[in-house]
C-alpha cells in the first residue's frame, strides 16, 4: 500500500501517500519501478513505519506516537488499555484538522483504518471518521482492506456502492485516482486561492491482490528462480544502485521459513502465479499514482507541490502463510491445502487465471514476503527487525528540493512527516485546536535533510511495538525482542500461552556499522543491552505502551472483550445491508455461535437469511434455504432454527454470498 501526501502551500500543495504492505519496486529484480516520484527528488533508505497499518497511519496523521494517541493496535482489536483504545483524542489534532484551520482544502482517498468499529453505523458518531478528523472530503473504505472489484465504499460518512460493476471494467485504485483528479480540478475551478492537502492511500498492494489479467501476465516467468534467488538478485541490485551500503550483509532465511526447494514441483506454478499477480498489482497501483501526479503537471502545480511518498505502512506481509486463494483462511489459522484450492480454482473459476480476479482473495506465500523485504530479517508484524518496518520514502518539491540520487541515511520515522509538513508550509503548530489543548508533537522535521545529504541526524530515539514484538532506537543503537507471534507460521498455542515478556531474549545491533541487522551483539555487550532495555521502558511508559502485549488482549487472549454490539437479539428486515460486523450478530471467534432464528418465509422463497462477509471471506452464518432441499420443505411458512455456526471462511460456492 502506498501512502503519499500532497500539500499545496500558498503557493504549495502537500500531498501524503501511504500504501499498505508494499516494497521498493526499484530495488527488486523484476518488479516495476516507482512511477509517481518524478525528479527532482530525494529518497530515504533509513525511514521507518510501525509493523502494522492502523498505528502507522495514526503516527503519520497526528505526528505523535501511535500508542500515545490510542492507536497501538488495529481498530478491530481495540481494548480498554489507554494506548489501545482505537480512538484518536481531540488533543492530537491531525494534519488535516490543523491545515484546514489555515485555509487548506483537505481530502483523503482510499484506505482509512482509524475509525473505531463501534462507530460504523449510519447514525454515527462521526467524529472519528476522516471528515470528523479534519478532512473536508473522503472517498474510500473504512477497514483494513476491501475488494478492488466490489469495494465497500464510503463517501464522507455515507456508505455507497461502486459507480460500475467489475464486468464493466471497474477497479477501485483507478476510481480513486479519478476522484483525486476531480478534487484537484474542483479546487482549481472554484477555490483557486486555497492550497490543498491530499492524503492518498490506495488499497494496493495490500491483500486481496486484485488486478486484471493483462497486468499479471507482464510478469510471467519473471520469478521462476524462486524466493531465495530473487532475494540474492535484489540484494545485488540494491548495492549496484547505491540504495544500500556496499558493506551490507544479506541476512539468511529464518529456520522456520519454507525454502523454495521444499515446494513440490507440481505446486510451483500456483506459487509463481501468486507472485506474478502481486507484481502486476504493484505496477497497476503505481500507474494510478502517476495519473494524479500527471494532473498536477497539467495544472501547472507540480513544481510547487510537496509530494511525500511513503512506500508502505509496514513490511511485506507474510499473512498468506503457504499461499492461498482466500487470505482470510490463512489469517484465521484455517487449513488451505493446495489440492483443495486447485480443485476450487479448476472446477469453478477456470484455473490459475482466476488468481487476481474478483472471485478469489489471494495472498502470496510468506516466503515471497521475506524476499520482498531484502536485505532484512522478518516481515510485517515484527517490530524487532527492519523487514517489518523499514520502508523507502521519497520527497519531491522541484521549486525547493534539489535532485540528489544519493539516499538520505538519517534515521527517521513516519511520525516525522507531520512536523516536516508544518515546517515546509510555514505553519505554526497551534497550542489549542477547537478548544482542546494539544499534546506536543513526537516527531522531528526532516526539512534539514533536503539539501544536505550528510547532515547529522536530529532524531535521537524512537520506540517500536506491535503485539509484544518491540524495539528501541537510540543514537545508532537498536535493541529488540521478536515477540510471541511468528507471522509466517501457524499459531503456536504453547508459545502464546507460555509467553512471558519479562523473560524475552533481547537482541542488540550497532546500526552505524550494520545496515541490515545481521550481527546480534547482545551476548557480547550485556551492559549496552541493559541500557537499551531501560530506554525502551522509559519510552513505553511515556507513550502508553504498557502493559507489554496489550495489543494481544482482544485479538488472542480475550476476543470476547473486543469491540462488539451489546445486543443479544436483533430484529433484521429485508433490505437491511451494510451493517458493520462489529455491530451485527457476532458469529465469530470468542463469541457464542448458537443462534435461534425466527423468520417468516413464503412458500417459494430462496436465498440467504443472513450473511457476513463477501465472495471469498464469509462467516458461515448464512443458511441457504432452497425449495428443492428437503430441509426447506419441512420449514413451510414459519421457521424456528437453532444452528451451531462455526467461525470459518468458506469457499464462494458453499455460502452463496
Amino acid at each position: 500500500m502506498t501512502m503519499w501526501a500532497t500539500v499545496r502551500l500558498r503557493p504549495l500543495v502537500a500531498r501524503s501517500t501511504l500504501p499498505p504492505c508494499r516494497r521498493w519496486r526499484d530495488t527488486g529484480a523484476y518488479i516495476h519501478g516507482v512511477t509517481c516520484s518524478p525528479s527532482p527528488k530525494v529518497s530515504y533508505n533509513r525511514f521507518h513505519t510501525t509493523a502494522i497499518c492502523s498505528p502507522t497511519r495514526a503516527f503519520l496523521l497526528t505526528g505523535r506516537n501511535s500508542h500515545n494517541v490510542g492507536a497501538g493496535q488495529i481498530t478491530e482489536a481495540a481494548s480498554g488499555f489507554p494506548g489501545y483504545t482505537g480512538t484518536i483524542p481531540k488533543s492530537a489534532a491531525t494534519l488535516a484538522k490543523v491545515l484546514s484551520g489555515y485555509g487548506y482544502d483537505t481530502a483523503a482517498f482510499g484506505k482509512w483504518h482509524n475509525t473505531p468499529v463501534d462507530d460504523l453505523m449510519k447514525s454515527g458518531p462521526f467524529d472519528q471518521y476522516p471528515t470528523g478528523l479534519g478532512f473536508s472530503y473522503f472517498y474510500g473504505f473504512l477497514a483494513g482492506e476491501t475488494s478492488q472489484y466490489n469495494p465497500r465504499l464510503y463517501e464522507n460518512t455515507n456508505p455507497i456502492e461502486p459507480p460500475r460493476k467489475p464486468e464493466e471494467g471497474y477497479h477501485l485504485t483507478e476510481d480513486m485516482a479519478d476522484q483525486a483528479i476531480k478534487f484537484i480540478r474542483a479546487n482549481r475551478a472554484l477555490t483557486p486561492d486555497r492550497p490543498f492537502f491530499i492524503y492518498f492511500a490506495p488499497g494496493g498492494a495490500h491483500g486481496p491482490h486484485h488486478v486484471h489479467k493483462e497486468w499479471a501476465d507482464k510478469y510471467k516467468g519473471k520469478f521462476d528462480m524462486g524466493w531465495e534467488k530473487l532475494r540474492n538478485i535484489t540484494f545485488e541490485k540494491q548495492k549496484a544502485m547505491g540504495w544500500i551500503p556496499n558493506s551490507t550483509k544479506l541476512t539468511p532465511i529464518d529456520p522456520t521459513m519454507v525454502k523454495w526447494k521444499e515446494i513440490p514441483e507440481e505446486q510451483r506454478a500456483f506459487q509463481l502465479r501468486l507472485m506474478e499477480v502481486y507484481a502486476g498489482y504493484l505496477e497497476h497501483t503505481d500507474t494510478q499514482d502517476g495519473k494524479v501526479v500527471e494532473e498536477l503537471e497539467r495544472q501547472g502545480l507540480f513544481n510547487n507541490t510537496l509530494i511525500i511518498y511513503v512506500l508502505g505502512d509496514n513490511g511485506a506481509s507474510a499473512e498468506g502463510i503457504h499461499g492461498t486463494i482466500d487470505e482470510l483462511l490463512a489469517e484465521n489459522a484455517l487449513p488451505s491445502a493446495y489440492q483443495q484450492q486447485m480443485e476450487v480454482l479448476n472446477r469453478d473459476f477456470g484455473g490459475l487465471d482466476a488468481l487476481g480476479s474478483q472471485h478469489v482473495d489471494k495472498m502470496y506465500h510468506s516466503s515471497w514476503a521475506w524476499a520482498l523485504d531484502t536485505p532484512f530479517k522478518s516481515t510485517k508484524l515484527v517490530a524487532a527487525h527492519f523487514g517489518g518496518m523499514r520502508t523507502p520514502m521519497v520527497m519531491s518539491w522541484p521549486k525547493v528540493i534539489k535532485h540528489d540520487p544519493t539516499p538520505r541515511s538519517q534515521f527517521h520515522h513516519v511520525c516525522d512527516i507531520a512536523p516536516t509538513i508544518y515546517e515546509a508550509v510555514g505553519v505554526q503548530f497551534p497550542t489549542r485546536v477547537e478548544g482542546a489543548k494539544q499534546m506536543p508533537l513526537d516527531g522531528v522535521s526532516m526539512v534539514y535533510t533536503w539539501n544536505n545529504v550528510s547532515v547529522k541526524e536530529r532524531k535521537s530515539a524512537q520506540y517500536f511495538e506491535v503485539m509484544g514484538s518491540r524495539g528501541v532506537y537510540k543514537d545508532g543503537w537498536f535493541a529488540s525482542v521478536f515477540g510471541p507471534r511468528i507471522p509466517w507460521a501457524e499459531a503456536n498455542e504453547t508459545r502464546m500461552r507460555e509467553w512471558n515478556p519479562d523473560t524475552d531474549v533481547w537482541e542488540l545491533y550497532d546500526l552505524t556499522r550494520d545496515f541490515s541487522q545481521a550481527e546480534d551483539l547482545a551476548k557480547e555487550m550485556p551492559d549496552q543491552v541493559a541500557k537499551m532495555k531501560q530506554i525502551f521502558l522509559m519510552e513505553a511508559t511515556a507513550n502508553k505502551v504498557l502493559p507489554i502485549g496489550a495489543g494481544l488482549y482482544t485479538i488472542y487472549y480475550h476476543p470476547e472483550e473486543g469491540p462488539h454490539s451489546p445486543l443479544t437479539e436483533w430484529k433484521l428486515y429485508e433490505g437491511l445491508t451494510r451493517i458493520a460486523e462489529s455491530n451485527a450478530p457476532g458469529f465469530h471467534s470468542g463469541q457464542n455461535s448458537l443462534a435461534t432464528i425466527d423468520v417468516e418465509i413464503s412458500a417459494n422463497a430462496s436465498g440467504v437469511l443472513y450473511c457476513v462477509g463477501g465472495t471469498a471471506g464469509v462467516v458461515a452464518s448464512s443458511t441457504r434455504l432452497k425449495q428443492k432441499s428437503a430441509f426447506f420443505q419441512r420449514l413451510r411458512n414459519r421457521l424456528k432454527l437453532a444452528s451451531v455456526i462455526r467461525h470459518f471462511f468458506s469457499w464462494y460456492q458453499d455460502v452463496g454470498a
Side-chain angles (χ1 to χ4, degrees):
M1 175 187 292
T2 309
M3 292 192 298
W4 47 307
T6 306
V7 181
R8 183 167 191 279
L9 311 177
R10 292 184 201 277
L12 170 80
V13 178
R15 170 171 184 174
S16 177
T17 310
L18 206 163
C21 312
R22 294 165 73 177
R23 291 290 81 191
W24 186 235
R25 277 81 71 199
D26 263 353
T27 60
Y30 296 105
I31 304 181
H32 175 73
V34 177
T35 60
C36 66
S37 54
S39 298
K41 63 181 181 293
V42 292
S43 58
Y44 295 75
N45 66 358
R46 294 213 307 161
F47 182 83
H48 305 82
T49 63
T50 70
I52 194 171
C53 50
S54 296
T56 291
R57 294 155 191 277
F59 267 114
L60 185 148
L61 290 164
T62 69
R64 283 90 165 185
N65 291 322
S66 61
H67 297 79
N68 214 10
V69 297
Q73 178 51 294
I74 60 173
T75 54
E76 293 86 349
S79 66
F81 296 106
Y84 303 84
T85 62
T87 301
I88 296 175
K90 295 186 182 298
S91 57
T94 67
L95 269 164
K97 180 73 77 173
V98 173
L99 293 177
S100 64
Y102 281 88
Y104 279 74
D105 282 346
T106 57
F109 299 94
K111 174 175 174 175
W112 184 276
H113 202 191
N114 293 92
T115 297
V117 293
D118 294 345
D119 293 354
L120 298 179
M121 292 188 284
K122 293 183 179 180
S123 56
F126 300 121
D127 60 305
Q128 292 287 308
Y129 281 56
T131 51
L133 291 171
F135 288 98
S136 56
Y137 183 73
F138 171 68
Y139 188 91
F141 55 99
L142 302 174
E145 62 182 59
T146 194
S147 168
Q148 294 293 304
Y149 298 111
N150 298 285
R152 300 299 78 205
L153 288 175
Y154 281 78
E155 185 172 36
N156 298 323
T157 61
N158 301 310
I160 62 171
E161 294 303 312
R164 300 189 311 280
K165 296 182 181 300
E167 295 77 14
E168 299 171 315
Y170 180 82
H171 193 283
L172 174 57
T173 317
E174 297 174 7
D175 186 16
M176 276 180 55
D178 292 342
Q179 297 297 331
I181 290 170
K182 288 179 182 178
F183 176 83
I184 294 170
R185 291 175 177 175
N187 169 272
R188 295 295 85 201
L190 304 176
T191 55
D193 58 320
R194 294 184 195 169
F196 58 79
F197 170 73
I198 296 175
Y199 173 72
F200 194 81
H206 193 291
H209 299 160
H210 282 161
V211 74
H212 298 298
K213 182 176 179 294
E214 59 268 24
W215 291 89
D217 285 348
K218 293 183 178 184
Y219 294 91
K220 277 190 174 181
K222 298 296 186 181
F223 306 104
D224 288 1
M225 76 293 289
W227 38 73
E228 289 103 329
K229 289 185 179 179
L230 173 64
R231 189 169 162 97
N232 292 336
I233 294 170
T234 300
F235 179 67
E236 294 302 325
K237 186 173 182 180
Q238 288 172 330
K239 288 195 295 184
M241 292 173 60
W243 181 250
I244 62 175
N246 283 327
S247 60
T248 302
K249 294 182 179 179
L250 181 60
T251 57
I253 192 169
D254 190 274
T256 61
M257 290 179 173
V258 177
K259 297 179 180 179
W260 182 249
K261 68 180 182 181
E262 297 170 356
I263 301 296
E265 189 66 36
E266 68 272 15
Q267 297 182 19
R268 291 187 177 183
F270 173 69
Q271 300 294 352
L272 291 169
R273 189 57 178 174
L274 293 176
M275 186 59 186
E276 291 165 4
V277 171
Y278 174 76
Y281 190 22
L282 280 174
E283 180 177 354
H284 178 267
T285 302
D286 277 342
T287 300
Q288 310 319 308
D289 293 341
K291 289 178 182 178
V292 182
V293 174
E294 289 169 0
E295 179 64 23
L296 295 173
E297 294 173 330
R298 279 192 295 269
Q299 296 283 349
L301 302 173
F302 175 70
N303 284 341
N304 204 26
T305 297
L306 169 61
I307 298 177
I308 302 174
Y309 186 95
V310 183
L311 191 64
D313 51 7
N314 43 242
S317 172
E319 291 159 305
I321 310 296
H322 302 300
T324 180
I325 65 172
D326 185 351
E327 61 172 332
L328 295 179
L329 284 170
E331 290 179 13
N332 286 273
L334 294 164
S336 52
Y338 165 78
Q339 291 79 5
Q340 292 176 320
Q341 297 189 81
M342 287 307 303
E343 179 184 351
V344 171
L345 284 175
N346 291 328
R347 183 187 67 214
D348 300 312
F349 303 123
L352 291 178
D353 281 348
L355 296 176
S357 74
Q358 64 172 315
H359 302 298
V360 295
D361 284 5
K362 59 132 300 218
M363 174 65 79
Y364 54 44
H365 194 289
S366 57
S367 292
W368 285 125
W370 167 75
L372 293 171
D373 283 330
T374 304
F376 307 115
K377 294 184 282 189
S378 299
T379 65
K380 173 186 176 182
L381 301 180
V382 178
H385 300 144
F386 293 145
M389 70 267 191
R390 180 169 286 181
T391 187
M393 186 267 288
V394 175
M395 293 197 204
S396 171
W397 185 4
K399 187 174 181 179
V400 174
I401 299 174
K402 299 176 182 177
H403 178 68
D404 188 348
T406 304
R408 270 61 181 151
S409 292
Q410 294 83 4
F411 192 101
H412 275 288
H413 190 274
V414 69
C415 71
D416 302 329
I417 295 288
T420 300
I421 291 176
Y422 292 140
E423 181 178 351
V425 303
V427 163
Q428 182 176 356
F429 187 76
T431 57
R432 289 185 178 272
V433 175
E434 296 179 347
K437 185 178 179 180
Q438 293 298 293
M439 303 161 52
L441 296 174
D442 293 317
V444 175
S445 171
M446 294 177 281
V447 169
Y448 75 99
T449 67
W450 283 355
N451 294 313
N452 190 339
V453 67
S454 59
V455 64
K456 183 179 179 181
E457 70 184 33
R458 297 180 182 177
K459 191 175 191 71
S460 63
Q462 180 64 52
Y463 81 88
F464 300 81
E465 194 280 337
V466 172
M467 292 183 281
S469 182
R470 56 202 188 274
V472 65
Y473 173 81
K474 177 67 175 176
D475 295 331
W477 290 96
F478 193 88
S480 60
V481 166
F482 186 87
R485 301 176 76 245
I486 303 176
W488 49 86
E490 285 83 1
N492 185 319
E493 294 296 324
T494 301
R495 180 184 174 100
M496 294 295 295
R497 185 172 58 251
E498 297 180 355
W499 174 60
N500 181 352
D502 293 334
T503 59
D504 277 334
V505 177
W506 284 74
E507 303 169 19
L508 178 69
Y509 302 97
D510 180 0
L511 300 185
T512 63
R513 302 179 180 181
D514 183 7
F515 183 84
S516 61
Q517 295 179 300
E519 298 181 45
D520 180 3
L521 304 175
K523 292 182 180 179
E524 301 172 29
M525 306 182 69
D527 291 343
Q528 184 65 24
V529 172
K531 179 181 177 181
M532 296 296 288
K533 288 171 66 175
Q534 188 60 32
I535 292 171
F536 176 82
L537 182 60
M538 293 171 59
E539 292 288 321
T541 302
N543 288 284
K544 306 174 185 174
V545 178
L546 304 178
I548 297 299
L552 292 166
Y553 187 77
T554 60
I555 204 169
Y556 182 81
Y557 294 109
H558 290 281
E560 76 279 1
E561 295 187 32
H564 66 277
S565 172
L567 298 178
T568 58
E569 182 176 337
W570 286 259
K571 291 184 178 180
L572 302 177
Y573 301 91
E574 184 178 359
L576 188 59
T577 61
R578 299 294 296 271
I579 308 172
E581 186 177 354
S582 56
N583 297 313
F587 297 130
H588 54 79
S589 296
Q591 298 191 24
N592 192 336
S593 58
L594 181 66
T596 299
I597 304 174
D598 194 346
V599 59
E600 297 289 338
I601 300 177
S602 63
N604 297 318
S606 67
V608 175
L609 284 181
Y610 176 71
C611 177
V612 180
T615 298
V618 174
V619 178
S621 54
S622 56
T623 304
R624 301 191 68 185
L625 300 177
K626 291 187 176 180
Q627 187 172 2
K628 66 180 181 181
S629 75
F631 176 67
F632 182 79
Q633 294 288 348
R634 295 195 299 268
L635 289 177
R636 299 294 181 181
N637 293 326
R638 188 168 184 81
L639 170 69
K640 190 79 171 181
L641 170 66
S643 174
V644 176
I645 315 251
R646 291 181 57 215
H647 177 230
F648 76 102
F649 294 86
S650 185
W651 307 126
Y652 173 72
Q653 72 278 5
D654 290 335
V655 299

